[in-house]
Amino acid sequence: MPTDMDADATRLRGAMAKALAEDGVLAGTAWRQAVETVPRHRFVPGFYLPADTRDEEGLTVWEPVTAETDYGRWLAAAYSDTTLITQFDGDEPDWKEPAARHGGAPTSSSTLPSLVVRMWADADVQEGHTLLEIGTGTGYSTALACERLGDAHVTSIEVDGRRLEAAASALYGLGYTPTLAVADGLYGYWPEAPFDRIVAACSFRAVPPALLAQTRPGGKILLTLSGWLYGYARVLLAVHADGTAEGLLLPGTVSFMSARTHAAPAWGNPAHWAAGLPKKSRMARHSPERITAATEEAFHLRFLAQCVVPDAQMVTVGEVVHLVDVVTGSAVTLTPAGGRWEVREGGPVRLWERIETVLDAYDEAGRPGTATFTLRVDDRGGQQLRHPQLPSLTLPRP
């Protein structure tokens, strides 16, 4: 391993900060100074990058990268604007003897730097604020917050004790001493409350009431909402003295890993669900591609659809799209048929019919954008997504 690592890292860190500033990501000199100061490579001793080809089963091959295995690739990736996967399926890697992964679900990462500073900027984090970060991860974002606000103003919690131990080692080794704790973000962190800002680096099915209770009146909460259809929306909530909160959805397409207590349950074999559906079918009014396409509108529509079928999950097998609701036992198949889609659905909830109703209303309203929707949370935990031209949509109870 080269002996001039610090010099290499300083050069690459400066180049990354310059690129982020030129892209308009860094708001003001304070955040640029933080990016130029915090050595990201110290927080990612190892990570996984995707190989160029998949394995024989079609799974992504994730190659481990460390300073020992490939110094140049490791350091360049550490100072690229890229999310670096550091854990799959909750399994803690042995970076001294790393092994490739075939497929798997990412459960921890170092978020791309541009998104980290964008989150801090969107939450309007300012000098003097006390901050709760949900999802310490590698600790890199925590270090940036410490540089901006000072250690005493930063609390960061992480549900995975092994992840937090590694992050704490990196933070303390660099002289950062924020308050750290192993805790479930669903419940915030009462010992350090109240906070001026709460920012979550994971996603929730609905806004956890504990976060409202732990935010000072006039404070703000920035978090990502998601669900079992993997529809996402970010919202910046202003918390009022009466215990309610309200805020607009933010534009753009950002996704975060689900809080582990809000992750989707396993639901079995789609063929088993399809076998129990009625033989009678109808033609769909809307193609499932409206919520599955790789477009910003489809990203937004999937979240709206998720609001009306919050317990549904979706998978495509061959050309057939399956929706399954493990809570009610409802299911749907959508099969392509001559340029249209044939729908078979059964169970107490007509899943695709509900989604089509939302799509109808969305089209009739002129296809309104993300930032025209407001989320309101009342003091009893009720949560409604509102738009002046659409019926209110209710989020599931946290």
Side-chain angles (χ1 to χ4, degrees):
M1 189 186 302
T3 57
D4 55 354
M5 181 190 298
D6 287 342
D8 291 343
T10 299
R11 174 177 53 81
L12 291 171
R13 192 159 59 248
M16 183 177 73
K18 182 174 182 292
L20 293 177
E22 289 174 349
D23 289 343
V25 174
L26 296 175
T29 58
W31 285 117
R32 178 165 182 167
Q33 183 178 358
V35 172
E36 290 175 336
T37 301
V38 176
R40 190 186 187 204
H41 70 281
R42 295 282 295 272
F43 295 90
V44 285
F47 46 82
Y48 297 96
L49 294 177
D52 293 334
T53 58
R54 294 175 178 265
D55 68 11
E56 61 275 8
E57 296 182 359
L59 298 175
T60 300
V61 179
W62 293 93
E63 299 174 339
V65 181
T66 67
E68 289 74 19
T69 59
D70 191 335
Y71 170 78
R73 189 185 187 195
W74 168 75
L75 197 61
Y79 289 105
S80 65
D81 191 30
T82 305
T83 292
L84 303 173
I85 306 299
T86 56
Q87 186 191 76
F88 284 92
D89 302 315
D91 298 331
E92 193 66 19
D94 179 1
W95 293 117
K96 294 180 180 179
E97 296 183 10
R101 300 279 309 204
H102 291 246
T107 47
S108 190
S109 67
S110 177
T111 302
L112 66 162
S114 63
L115 179 53
V116 173
V117 294
R118 176 182 167 188
M119 293 284 284
W120 297 144
D122 286 346
D124 191 27
V125 174
Q126 300 289 340
E127 186 175 354
H129 283 163
T130 54
L131 169 72
L132 172 64
E133 176 190 38
I134 298 174
T136 312
T138 65
Y140 173 66
S141 59
T142 315
L144 291 176
C146 289
E147 279 289 335
R148 179 70 176 87
L149 301 175
D151 300 356
H153 287 221
V154 178
T155 298
S156 186
I157 60 175
E158 169 64 50
V159 72
D160 187 326
R162 295 170 300 176
R163 289 280 82 211
L164 188 68
E165 183 178 359
S169 178
L171 286 163
Y172 296 156
L174 292 167
Y176 298 114
T177 58
T179 298
L180 301 175
V182 176
D184 188 333
L186 186 64
Y187 305 101
Y189 198 62
W190 285 101
E192 297 296 319
F195 302 98
D196 296 300
R197 297 289 186 271
I198 295 180
V199 178
C202 60
S203 62
F204 296 97
R205 297 186 74 198
V207 182
L211 302 188
L212 271 65
Q214 293 175 30
T215 304
R216 286 193 178 93
K220 297 179 181 179
I221 301 171
L222 177 66
L223 77 168
T224 303
L225 299 169
S226 70
W228 297 348
L229 279 183
Y230 297 101
Y232 294 89
R234 283 197 315 149
V235 63
L236 180 62
L237 293 168
V239 178
H240 307 308
D242 62 0
T244 64
E246 193 168 16
L248 293 172
L249 299 190
L250 301 181
T253 55
V254 172
S255 59
F256 277 105
M257 299 173 193
S258 294
R260 296 192 187 182
T261 46
H262 279 193
W267 53 275
N269 187 333
H272 297 166
W273 292 84
L277 293 175
K279 300 300 182 184
K280 185 177 180 180
S281 66
R282 66 175 177 86
M283 301 309 293
R285 298 196 305 277
H286 296 276
S287 162
E289 292 165 340
R290 291 205 65 186
I291 64 173
T292 61
T295 65
E296 189 164 333
E297 183 182 55
F299 192 91
H300 173 46
L301 283 177
R302 189 182 291 212
F303 180 75
L304 299 184
Q306 186 175 269
C307 290
V308 294
V309 289
D311 301 321
Q313 299 180 64
M314 180 168 57
V315 67
T316 300
V317 180
E319 294 185 304
V320 180
V321 178
H322 298 255
L323 280 89
V324 170
D325 179 341
V326 299
V327 176
T328 67
S330 304
V332 177
T333 61
L334 294 107
T335 306
R340 299 183 66 188
W341 290 81
E342 186 179 81
V343 182
R344 293 169 55 218
E345 54 189 331
V349 178
R350 294 294 185 261
L351 300 173
W352 193 248
E353 186 174 315
R354 284 194 179 184
I355 291 175
E356 287 186 316
T357 299
V358 169
L359 295 177
D360 287 341
Y362 172 79
D363 290 342
E364 291 171 5
R367 301 189 172 189
T370 306
T372 62
F373 287 80
T374 300
L375 179 67
R376 178 172 174 78
V377 184
D378 65 38
D379 57 358
R380 297 178 300 280
Q383 305 186 24
Q384 287 194 324
L385 188 64
R386 298 177 176 178
H387 186 278
Q389 295 173 273
L390 291 168
S392 294
L393 302 174
T394 301
L395 271 64
R397 287 281 175 172

